[in-house]
Amino acid sequence: MSETSGPAHRPSAVPGPWSVPVLVRERRPKVVVKADLLPAVSVLGTLSLLSFPLAFVWSRIAPPERVRIIGSDGTQGALELESWHRFDDLAVFGFLTLGIGIVVGVVTWLMRERRGPVVFLAALLGVALAGVLAMLLGVGWANSHYAIDTAPALGSVIELAPRLESWWVLLTGPLGVSVTYTLLVTWNGRDDLGRRLG
């Protein structure tokens, strides 16, 4: 009795007409965490030091608000258009932190052997921490810079120290880091982000 070569005896692993044989499977690089922890802590600590120059520059270039003394008890009256400087103070601080965020994003990307999410998150947190410290230090330094030693006379015009009235401005620094680093990752296009020097 001869064996029949019917459909039941066909091998099940026959490749179809559109299949492509895979000779070598490409290994995707894994996210490096342990080796990047110490550099990430260094990045976080170094970036927090940016708060000092940021606070000093803002306290000197942010415009003060001028008001007129209209009462013998020190009552202040607003001058025309001077209240706009309250927004200017926020805008100046926002542009300074945004610029720092962009620079930090580029510098962090240039750390080729440490590219990845760990150092990127450290850069985000470092810029956010620098922004918080700069906000607190800058307001204090501005208050001391525009301090009034003697009681102002009636009708005189005095300058009030710049102030930051919204914490939302702290998002500009991490935004600059995120956009810059993301654009550089997209432009690179490699699975390992070019960490291997070879």
Side-chain angles (χ1 to χ4, degrees), residues 97-146:
T97 54
L98 179 65
I100 286 178
I102 293 172
V103 172
V104 167
V106 173
V107 171
T108 307
W109 175 257
L110 293 178
M111 298 169 58
R112 181 169 182 169
E113 295 181 354
R114 300 302 176 199
R115 290 176 183 171
V118 177
V119 174
F120 168 66
L121 289 176
L124 277 181
L125 293 175
V127 170
L129 179 61
V132 172
L133 295 176
M135 193 173 193
L136 300 174
L137 286 172
V139 171
W141 287 349
N143 288 334
S144 63
H145 184 63
Y146 291 96

Side-chain angles (χ1 to χ4, degrees), residues 5-11:
S5 58
H9 297 283
R10 288 181 183 170

Side-chain angles (χ1 to χ4, degrees), residues 140-183:
W141 287 349
N143 288 334
S144 63
H145 184 63
Y146 291 96
I148 300 174
D149 298 330
T150 59
L154 184 64
S156 62
V157 175
I158 62 172
E159 292 181 338
L160 299 180
R163 53 189 184 268
L164 297 170
E165 299 178 321
S166 174
W167 287 90
W168 288 103
V169 72
L170 295 175
L171 295 177
T172 55
L175 176 66
V177 176
S178 301
V179 172
T180 304
Y181 204 89
T182 303
L183 288 176

Side-chain angles (χ1 to χ4, degrees), residues 65-130:
E65 181 184 357
R66 298 190 306 161
V67 296
R68 186 183 302 278
I69 303 299
I70 57 175
S72 57
D73 57 348
T75 307
Q76 302 168 357
L79 296 177
E80 187 177 2
L81 304 181
E82 285 293 319
S83 61
W84 290 9
H85 290 319
R86 295 165 62 184
F87 171 77
D88 297 338
D89 299 337
L90 276 174
V92 169
F93 189 85
F95 280 118
L96 286 174
T97 54
L98 179 65
I100 286 178
I102 293 172
V103 172
V104 167
V106 173
V107 171
T108 307
W109 175 257
L110 293 178
M111 298 169 58
R112 181 169 182 169
E113 295 181 354
R114 300 302 176 199
R115 290 176 183 171
V118 177
V119 174
F120 168 66
L121 289 176
L124 277 181
L125 293 175
V127 170
L129 179 61

